[in-house]
Amino acid sequence: MTHLDEARALLRESPVVDGHNDLPWALREKAGYDLDRLDIAGHQHGHLHTDIPRLRAGGVGAQYWSVYVPAEQPDPVAATLEQIDCVRQLLDRYQADLAPALTAADMEAARGEGRIASLMGAEGGHSIANSLGTLRGLYALGVRYMTLTHNSNVDWADSATDTPRANGLTAFGREVVREMNRLGMLVDLSHVAPSTMRDALDATDAPVIFSHSSARAVCDHPRNIPDDVLERLPANGGVAMVTFVPKFVLQAAVDWTAAADDNLRAHGLHHLDTTAEAMKVHRAFEERTPRPVATVPVIADHLDHMREVAGIDHLGIGGDYDGTAFTPDGLSDVSGYPNLLAELLDRGWSKSDLAKLTWQNAVRVLGAAEDVARDLQATRAPSHATIGSLDG
């Protein structure tokens, strides 16, 4: 039996819990949420990274669907509700394959039924518009983690990719973390500044997650996790879920992206510009300087390092499919997870190690958050703090 065959067999017993997939936003952008136009019951090669046949081929047993909206949306709360509605439509339409899940027990039940447990995570604290009541509303609608920031700061927390303003969490930001603990909503520290990571670890009563982040010591990108933070996960009980985005995991891709951005600026264009003119400039640059390609061993290098620093009990997977334009060779879509496990088997990871990476750690961390919430709800009333009352 080859390592790839072993990987597939292992995934039948301990399937992947993937921490972050942006399919709902891709469906909005590509099809206006019209599931007849992009029916994921069949292969959607060339349109999406994700569909049910490839989820099955990849051994995915649970998926956190990101209900992401850009911070620049005129009404991010309403847009987040539309994303939640999209997930609900997916669950209604594909009931034979997707099972709604709110708890660790639901995840295990879905696995027993042979369905893919479907959870939701909100990507960015802008989705609550500085309102703890809105946070509770999202939880009531099924959101089970919230990433504290996306690419930009929020009023109460610093992002990894913005100019520091709060130097971590403000007093209201700490109250957000406390209320998430009381609810049983996982605190997600992907996208946040290291100062925010450290403040959140100081403030939380429950394990945290990084839904899609890799190791900064392996690739020096601000979206990745510093070693001193990884070292704190055993005491916290949290899980860091490695991501596959090439410009976060491969130093050559980080450097190439910076050069491509500088090239756009040299032509008087913003580095995020996607107009026809900007794309023409970008394509010319890429023809002159081919884009570096990440591979499965690159992702395995991150996991080897994260395991050395945080330990096998604190690792998971968060591919960020349909949230990135480029993917590694061998991990081009959600069918690729067996290739990663085969590489890790080749490096000497045991089957019990891989079962923790794929399934057990992610299920445990949600169950632990539920346990903390049960205790806190017996002693702590819902918070009615406002950003003005704490940070004004």
Side-chain angles (χ1 to χ4, degrees):
M1 179 182 287
T2 68
H3 281 160
L4 188 57
D5 291 333
E6 288 183 57
R8 289 177 175 141
L10 185 146
L11 286 167
R12 286 192 285 272
E13 297 299 320
S14 299
V16 168
V17 180
D18 185 279
H20 193 88
N21 185 303
D22 279 301
L23 177 64
W25 187 257
L27 289 171
R28 171 183 168 133
E29 291 287 280
K30 295 175 183 289
Y33 296 127
D34 186 340
L35 302 184
D36 289 325
R37 285 175 58 193
L38 283 178
D39 183 357
I40 66 167
H43 285 279
Q44 290 296 333
H45 289 291
H47 299 289
L48 298 167
H49 295 144
T50 308
D51 52 49
I52 288 170
R54 284 182 287 172
L55 287 166
R56 294 297 197 182
V60 177
Q63 180 66 68
Y64 278 95
W65 303 108
S66 175
V67 291
Y68 158 78
V69 301
E72 300 75 25
Q73 283 291 116
D75 188 342
V77 176
T80 301
L81 295 179
E82 290 178 356
Q83 289 275 279
I84 292 170
D85 179 67
C86 176
V87 174
R88 289 187 163 183
Q89 289 185 56
L90 291 170
L91 295 177
D92 286 344
R93 186 178 178 116
Y94 305 109
Q95 294 182 34
D97 295 287
L98 304 181
L102 300 175
T103 65
D106 291 343
M107 296 170 76
E108 293 287 6
R111 182 176 66 148
E113 296 168 357
R115 294 197 290 167
I116 299 165
S118 291
L119 306 100
M120 289 184 282
E123 189 176 18
H126 56 278
S127 289
I128 64 168
N130 296 337
S131 165
L132 296 178
T134 300
L135 176 72
R136 289 188 284 272
L138 294 185
Y139 183 84
L141 291 172
V143 173
R144 287 300 177 265
Y145 75 65
M146 184 174 73
T147 321
L148 299 187
T149 73
H150 190 240
N151 289 336
S152 303
N153 298 337
V154 293
D155 290 334
W156 42 270
D158 282 345
S159 167
T161 48
D162 201 352
T163 303
R165 190 170 60 199
N167 295 314
L169 289 175
T170 68
F172 183 75
R174 292 189 290 274
E175 192 69 5
V176 171
V177 169
R178 284 166 48 85
E179 188 64 8
M180 291 173 73
N181 290 167
R182 195 193 65 81
L183 289 168
M185 183 185 287
L186 289 164
V187 176
D188 177 21
L189 300 180
S190 286
H191 279 287
V192 308
S195 56
T196 306
M197 298 175 191
R198 296 173 189 123
D199 282 357
L201 283 164
D202 289 342
T204 187
D205 291 314
V208 303
I209 65 166
F210 291 82
S211 66
H212 57 309
S213 294
S214 297
R216 191 152 186 178
V218 178
C219 182
D220 188 14
H221 190 284
R223 271 283 283 105
N224 289 332
I225 313 167
D227 276 3
D228 73 284
V229 175
L230 285 170
E231 288 169 355
R232 294 184 63 176
L233 287 182
N236 168 262
V239 172
M241 309 179 91
V242 70
T243 197
F244 302 162
V245 180
K247 67 180 180 180
F248 300 158
V249 298
L250 180 65
Q251 194 62 49
V254 174
D255 299 339
W256 185 94
T257 301
D261 291 347
D262 288 343
N263 180 64
L264 284 171
R265 295 186 191 99
H267 286 79
L269 299 164
H270 191 275
H271 72 280
L272 296 178
D273 195 337
T274 57
T275 61
E277 179 188 4
M279 290 298 97
K280 182 179 179 181
V281 170
H282 190 72
R283 282 192 295 272
F285 176 84
E286 191 163 356
E287 287 175 9
R288 296 192 306 271
T289 313
R291 179 186 298 275
V293 177
T295 60
V296 172
V298 168
I299 308 305
D301 289 345
H302 280 268
L303 281 168
D304 277 342
H305 180 81
M306 293 161 75
R307 175 182 177 171
E308 181 179 343
V309 177
I312 187 59
D313 295 319
H314 304 285
L315 303 184
I317 295 172
D320 203 10
Y321 285 115
D322 285 305
T324 179
F326 301 98
T327 54
D329 276 359
L331 291 166
S332 59
D333 57 46
V334 296
S335 68
Y337 300 103
N339 296 329
L340 177 58
L341 268 62
E343 173 69 21
L344 295 172
L345 283 166
D346 193 47
R347 294 181 181 212
W349 287 48
S350 70
K351 292 182 180 180
S352 62
D353 293 339
L354 293 177
K356 290 181 178 183
L357 172 72
T358 58
W359 182 262
Q360 294 170 12
N361 292 342
V363 175
R364 172 187 55 77
V365 79
L366 181 59
E370 295 166 20
D371 291 342
V372 170
R374 194 174 301 112
D375 291 341
L376 290 177
Q377 287 170 18
T379 59
R380 185 185 297 173
S383 174
H384 297 289
T386 64
I387 193 164
S389 67
L390 292 180
D391 293 341

